[in-house]
Structures are given as structure tokens and as C-alpha cells.
Amino acid sequence: MKSTDLCPQLQKSMDIIGRRWTGLIIYQLLQGPQRFNVIEAALPISGRLLSERLKELELEGIVLREVFPETPVRIQYSLTDKGLALETVIRDLQRWSKIWIDCDTNNVSSTLKM
């Protein structure tokens, strides 16, 4: 199968979700709306890269950036309906990784743990 034979929607979704840190940012936002510094503290990611990923997710309609005109200005990030629809995908991947991924060696487990 050539890459041109792939479903374009699947290919684009994998390009979006497959970017480094994107899945973990979505996972973090599944807990609810959060400020930038909370997300940054929860993930081992630079502020610059987090900002870049959040902007990409906002452009894709997955993340909503809300600015509250307070003093000081408060900015909060949350998942849109499109982003919340990824919860089953993220949770399924989490379950899969608990069975198949060995965190100590980053190798795929050779036995299925049931």
C-alpha cells in the first residue's frame, strides 16, 4: 500500500495527534480547563514548545483558548467538543500501553498481561 492510498482523514489525524507532546497535552486537558502554567508544570516540556502545540491544537479546533479580561489577564485552555471526542482514543491508548509497554525499557512487552 502506498502512502497515497491512505485515507486522508486518518493520515491528517495521525499527523495532528502524533506530534510530540500533543497526546499528553490533550490527556492533561481531559482533567478540565487549565492555565498555561498548570499544564507546563504537569509535563516535562518547554514553555516555548507547549505554546506552539497549544496554538496548533487551537487552529485545529481541538483546544479553546479563553482570555478573561481581569487584572492581571487570565488565560485558560480547555478542550472543545472536537477535543473531548478524543477521550476514548486517549483512554484506549492508555489501556493498551498498560498491557504492552514496559516503561523501564521502552520495549513492547512479550507477554499479554490479563
Side-chain angles (χ1 to χ4, degrees):
M1 176 184 277
K2 297 180 287 187
S3 65
T4 55
D5 295 338
L6 290 174
C7 170
Q9 288 89 358
L10 177 60
Q11 186 172 358
K12 183 170 181 179
S13 66
M14 294 301 289
D15 289 344
I16 294 167
I17 301 303
R19 293 200 62 141
R20 189 167 185 194
W21 301 111
T22 299
L24 292 175
I25 292 168
I26 294 168
Y27 179 80
Q28 181 66 27
L29 287 173
L30 284 171
Q31 297 176 35
Q34 297 176 37
R35 295 180 73 168
F36 184 91
N37 61 338
V38 173
I39 302 167
E40 185 178 27
L43 301 173
I45 183 175
S46 72
R48 181 193 60 76
L49 188 54
L50 176 58
S51 178
E52 183 180 309
R53 290 296 180 264
L54 286 168
K55 285 177 186 174
E56 291 168 358
L57 290 168
E58 185 181 6
L59 287 173
E60 290 295 337
I62 294 171
V63 167
L64 175 65
R65 179 181 184 265
E66 292 181 276
V67 179
F68 296 90
E70 303 169 351
T71 304
V73 173
R74 180 170 54 102
I75 299 173
Q76 181 173 277
Y77 296 89
S78 60
L79 294 173
T80 63
D81 287 342
K82 183 177 179 179
L84 288 169
L86 289 167
E87 182 170 14
T88 55
V89 174
I90 298 293
R91 300 289 183 208
D92 284 346
L93 188 55
Q94 182 181 29
R95 280 188 287 281
W96 177 85
S97 66
K98 285 182 179 181
I99 295 169
W100 292 102
I101 303 298
D102 181 353
C103 289
D104 293 332
T105 62
N106 291 324
N107 290 330
V108 176
S109 297
S110 60
T111 60
L112 175 62
K113 302 170 195 168
M114 291 188 147

